[in-house]
Amino acid sequence: MEGAGEDVPDNANEHCPGTESEAAGKSAACAGCPNQQACATGPKGPDPDLAAISQRMSSVKHVILVLSGKGGVGKSTFAAQLSFALAGMDKQVGLLDIDICGPSIPKMLGLEGQEIHQSNLGWSPVYVEDNLGVMSIGFMLPDPDEAVIWRGPRKNGLIKQFLKDVYWADLDFLVVDAPPGTSDEHISIAQYLKVANVAGAIVVTTPQEVSIIDVRKEISFCKKVGIPVLGVVENMSGLQLPVRDLVFRKSSDDGQEDEDVTREVMLKLETLAPELLSTLACAQVFYVSGGGAQEMARQMRVPFLGRVPLDPRLSRAAEQGKSCFEDSPSPSGLALKGIIKRLLKAIG
């Protein structure tokens, strides 16, 4: 919209009252607007709690949002391993999980079954290490299999409570794992964090176009609400694993039976070409039709931070709630180290 204020989305209807107006999503001008539902349920007007959020966030040097356009792209895995890596650099790190309906961070940090405690300073995060604290709705659920069936206002209320009531103390980095898409939670976090030191957002995608289509929307959202895009990460970018970890199978002509021939293949490799056992086997799992995340980032004029391959050791680390950087270097661990190095350089 020409002449629109900073709280009026670019794709809003004419005479939009603004996302922070009491009439947002409810006035006659809102009829048919693509943002109507989100605006109707989002927080309105000058928020009296912003002062409390500002005070809490004043002790956080850098807030990093981890976003994705589509679910299942490894966003939470990236957020967890980013937090492990930063803590491993002796930084004071907090990880805030605002994926209200799908909180997977407690599992990925090895904190299942933990509970939140309160003190006179506020809610206390659950700590993995002395310098890595975590907050998630997952710690509040009496049954981990229980579905969280909440409407927008209740989700927004919990996000606000996390920001104003959790006592993080002094942090170098607060990593925020957001749900996929551009829903109520994203509008809320963008509004609430206007009073914080937001370094920007990392957007995670997989290589195929069906994911990248939605990532374009996520980047557009960040630009509209004034959140800097620190860069795009292409996750699950091909499969890489050592040849010695491969499993070989031989199918029957009718495809009904599989015979495991791994032992025979490995014996031949050890005899005829032992040097191949230490090489990496690589394969493109997803069909990439549009140039992948790097080309999309170029078109959208945002940084491309790098690619992380599919790697069984990264998957194992996430399942076990551990850092993928603890053991010997893996393809995904090396890729993540390079991405984090570029990320810290961008933040400065």
Side-chain angles (χ1 to χ4, degrees), residues 102-171:
S104 52
I105 288 299
K107 170 72 174 177
M108 293 185 174
L109 274 292
L111 298 174
E112 287 182 296
Q114 298 294 317
E115 296 180 353
I116 296 171
H117 299 283
Q118 284 187 298
S119 70
N120 59 333
L121 296 173
W123 289 356
S124 298
V126 178
Y127 283 89
V128 184
E129 302 287 349
D130 289 342
N131 64 333
L132 176 53
V134 181
M135 181 56 67
S136 170
I137 191 178
F139 300 136
M140 302 177 175
L141 301 176
D143 181 355
D145 296 330
E146 182 180 334
V148 179
I149 308 173
W150 289 3
R151 293 188 184 274
R154 195 172 178 189
K155 293 180 184 178
N156 296 337
L158 182 61
I159 292 171
K160 180 188 288 186
Q161 196 163 8
F162 278 158
L163 293 174
K164 73 183 182 71
D165 289 346
V166 176
Y167 178 66
W168 297 101
D170 294 331
L171 290 182

Side-chain angles (χ1 to χ4, degrees), residues 3 14 55 59 117 131 149 180 203 209 246 256 278 298 308 327 330 338 340 348:
E14 191 176 2
Q55 185 175 2
S59 62
H117 299 283
N131 64 333
I149 308 173
V203 185
E209 194 66 20
L246 290 171
Q256 297 300 310
S278 60
R298 185 191 67 79
V308 181
D327 300 325
S330 65
I340 293 166

Side-chain angles (χ1 to χ4, degrees), residues 49-71:
D49 287 323
L50 286 181
I53 293 173
S54 177
Q55 185 175 2
R56 285 290 190 198
M57 293 293 105
S58 64
S59 62
V60 179
K61 292 181 181 177
H62 304 288
V63 178
I64 300 174
L65 301 173
V66 181
L67 308 175
S68 68
K70 188 174 288 293

Side-chain angles (χ1 to χ4, degrees), residues 80-274:
Q81 295 304 320
L82 171 61
S83 300
F84 275 127
L86 293 172
M89 299 174 185
D90 293 327
K91 305 295 185 182
Q92 296 295 322
V93 183
L95 174 54
L96 175 58
D97 180 7
I98 64 166
D99 194 343
I100 306 299
C101 295
S104 52
I105 288 299
K107 170 72 174 177
M108 293 185 174
L109 274 292
L111 298 174
E112 287 182 296
Q114 298 294 317
E115 296 180 353
I116 296 171
H117 299 283
Q118 284 187 298
S119 70
N120 59 333
L121 296 173
W123 289 356
S124 298
V126 178
Y127 283 89
V128 184
E129 302 287 349
D130 289 342
N131 64 333
L132 176 53
V134 181
M135 181 56 67
S136 170
I137 191 178
F139 300 136
M140 302 177 175
L141 301 176
D143 181 355
D145 296 330
E146 182 180 334
V148 179
I149 308 173
W150 289 3
R151 293 188 184 274
R154 195 172 178 189
K155 293 180 184 178
N156 296 337
L158 182 61
I159 292 171
K160 180 188 288 186
Q161 196 163 8
F162 278 158
L163 293 174
K164 73 183 182 71
D165 289 346
V166 176
Y167 178 66
W168 297 101
D170 294 331
L171 290 182
D172 295 304
F173 295 96
L174 177 61
V175 178
V176 180
D177 181 32
T182 54
S183 57
D184 287 358
E185 296 96 315
H186 299 80
I187 295 174
S188 297
I189 201 74
Q191 290 181 347
Y192 299 150
L193 288 179
K194 284 181 179 179
V195 296
N197 300 314
V198 178
I202 301 168
V203 185
V204 181
T205 183
T206 48
Q208 71 272 41
E209 194 66 20
V210 71
S211 175
I212 287 174
I213 287 171
D214 290 334
V215 168
R216 291 177 184 272
K217 300 182 180 73
E218 195 78 34
I219 293 172
S220 176
F221 169 83
C222 289
K223 291 179 177 179
K224 287 177 181 177
V225 298
I227 297 174
V229 178
L230 296 169
V232 175
V233 173
E234 184 177 280
N235 197 28
M236 306 183 196
S237 185
L239 172 67
Q240 293 187 22
L241 71 164
V243 170
R244 64 175 70 254
D245 292 342
L246 290 171
V247 174
F248 296 87
R249 296 187 181 278
K250 184 177 180 180
S251 298
S252 60
D253 292 339
D254 59 6
Q256 297 300 310
E257 295 183 7
D258 277 345
E259 179 187 0
D260 190 333
V261 294
T262 304
R263 179 177 172 79
E264 292 89 332
V265 172
M266 289 300 178
L267 284 173
K268 285 190 177 182
L269 284 175
E270 288 174 2
T271 303
L272 301 176

